[in-house]
Amino acid sequence: MQVAALPRPLVFTNGVFDVLHRGHVMYLEQARALGASLIVALNTDASARRLGKGPERPLNNEMDRACVIAALASASLVTWFDDDTPLQLIDRVRPDILVKGGDYDMSKLAETALMHSWGGTALALPFVTGYSTTALVRKIRNNEQTSR
């Protein structure tokens, strides 16, 4: 599918989305509700490793993560980016709305300034508390160690 064929307003979000959990799903549904289409840009495996979440992350490779996200009703299109930020991809796509997780200070992001340059909106959605891939991985590892 071509970006130009997607109905507007076009919402853009990005992330690793390594082990999909309820927090991710709710976040993506909220993002999609802001517009007519949602593009989800995934960090490539190399880009995800540079985020410092650990040498074994992501647990699921980029193709597997893309297949899972693409199966969600909220996602209109799934793509990747290999840079540390999706700035160049956002500039090419020119979405109407950029959405990030609640841990971002949107006023400090270069992506926000870029969005504003063509009249777009950039906003942070609140986190669904209690859900984190990092915490889930930690819990699994702790259970492995205590069962040995």
Side-chain angles (χ1 to χ4, degrees):
M1 173 176 276
Q2 298 288 330
V3 171
L6 293 173
R8 294 225 175 223
L10 181 60
V11 181
F12 182 101
T13 194
N14 64 279
V16 178
F17 299 102
D18 189 6
V19 177
L20 197 65
H21 54 68
R22 181 179 178 175
H24 289 139
V25 173
M26 292 178 72
Y27 168 81
L28 292 170
E29 287 177 352
Q30 290 172 5
R32 172 62 178 78
L34 295 171
S37 302
L38 175 64
I39 293 179
V40 181
L42 299 174
N43 294 76
T44 61
D45 293 344
S47 174
R49 282 187 207 101
R50 289 193 302 270
L51 294 175
K53 294 183 182 220
E56 73 287 346
R57 299 280 302 277
L59 298 173
N60 290 296
N61 69 50
E62 60 198 44
M63 184 59 74
D64 291 345
R65 291 182 285 122
C67 287
V68 170
I69 296 297
L72 299 175
S74 56
S76 305
L77 189 137
V78 180
T79 190
W80 294 275
F81 65 99
D82 196 42
D83 299 319
D84 291 343
T85 70
L87 195 62
Q88 290 180 351
L89 182 57
I90 292 167
D91 193 33
R92 280 198 314 263
V93 171
R94 294 200 172 232
D96 303 292
I97 303 165
L98 169 68
V99 177
K100 302 288 276 181
D103 58 336
Y104 286 91
D105 180 347
M106 299 304 287
S107 67
K108 295 181 179 179
L109 294 179
E111 294 96 316
T112 297
L114 180 62
M115 289 294 298
H116 290 165
S117 74
W118 61 73
T121 303
L123 55 99
L125 293 178
F127 270 123
V128 179
T129 56
Y131 297 95
S132 156
T133 300
T134 301
L136 184 58
V137 168
R138 189 178 310 118
K139 181 179 178 180
I140 291 167
R141 288 202 172 120
N142 288 340
N143 285 340
E144 271 183 2
Q145 290 171 358
T146 59
S147 65
R148 289 182 184 177

